Amino acid sequence: MKIIKELIPYVVIFLIVIIIRTFIVTPVIVSGSSMAPTLHDGEILLLKKYDKKYERNEIIVFDYQGSKLVKRIIGLPGETVEYESGKLYINGVETEEMFSSITNDYYKTTIPEGYYFVLGDNRNNSTDSRIIGLISEEQISGTTSFSLWPFKFLK
């Protein structure tokens, strides 16, 4: 009976950690250089699973073919996104890019409800919506604005 009383606090702590990681926040490791210079290979991010309101320029983590990818939301539902010769247009208006690009790719789409257009910050080395298509809301695991290692707030 004494052993059970001693184990109760550990079981409670274990259950709380499981609940937090399942529904609130969990660590995610960046793999690759597609988000450089903002994020680098091996960085540990804190993923907010509870954040379900997605905005332009927010960094998200989503499932793609069994992997977790980290990208930035560029296009929102209902918008037309065009990417041509390194220039980004949203609803026909050139948008100032936060990250330089020298690609000569061309991509144009109108985003239906429940979908998002995402790009990696390293536009020349990113598997993003230009290649894999739009990302559905169901694929998104959450957002991140905080790196645990190295410690920093993300833009």
Side-chain angles (χ1 to χ4, degrees):
M1 190 57 125
K2 184 178 178 181
I3 292 175
I4 292 175
K5 281 186 176 181
E6 289 176 1
L7 285 177
I8 288 176
Y10 296 105
V11 170
V12 170
I13 290 169
F14 178 76
L15 290 175
I16 289 171
V17 168
I18 295 298
I19 290 169
I20 288 172
R21 284 198 60 172
T22 303
F23 299 107
I24 302 173
V25 294
T26 192
V28 174
I29 298 175
V30 175
S31 178
S33 63
S34 71
M35 284 298 291
T38 308
L39 302 172
H40 302 282
D41 189 42
E43 271 192 56
I44 301 172
L45 309 176
L46 190 60
L47 177 68
K48 300 179 287 187
K49 292 183 169 188
Y50 60 87
D51 190 1
K52 298 296 181 189
K53 292 182 93 179
Y54 309 117
E55 298 176 10
R56 187 180 333 281
N57 294 321
E58 210 164 16
I59 297 173
I60 63 168
V61 177
F62 61 93
D63 295 312
Y64 178 71
Q65 295 185 345
S67 296
K68 297 277 188 196
L69 299 182
V70 180
K71 305 293 178 198
R72 188 177 299 276
I73 292 179
I74 301 300
L76 304 171
E79 295 180 333
T80 298
V81 174
E82 185 174 8
Y83 196 83
E84 181 177 20
S85 299
K87 295 187 188 294
L88 176 67
Y89 301 88
I90 297 177
N91 295 329
V93 177
E94 184 176 349
T95 302
E96 185 177 328
E97 277 275 64
M98 297 172 14
F99 306 96
S100 64
S101 175
I102 57 170
T103 64
N104 289 319
D105 295 347
Y106 178 77
Y107 186 93
K108 183 176 181 178
T109 188
T110 299
I111 306 168
E113 284 301 314
Y115 287 84
Y116 296 85
F117 181 85
V118 299
L119 293 174
D121 290 354
N122 184 357
R123 305 285 196 252
N124 294 312
N125 186 24
S126 179
T127 301
D128 50 39
S129 286
R130 296 171 294 171
I131 297 167
I132 64 175
L134 301 173
I135 304 304
S136 73
E137 205 165 293
E138 291 79 32
Q139 289 175 271
I140 301 174
S141 301
T143 65
T144 184
S145 57
F146 185 73
S147 174
L148 293 172
W149 185 258
F151 181 80
K152 67 180 176 182
F153 289 97
L154 307 173
K155 298 179 200 173

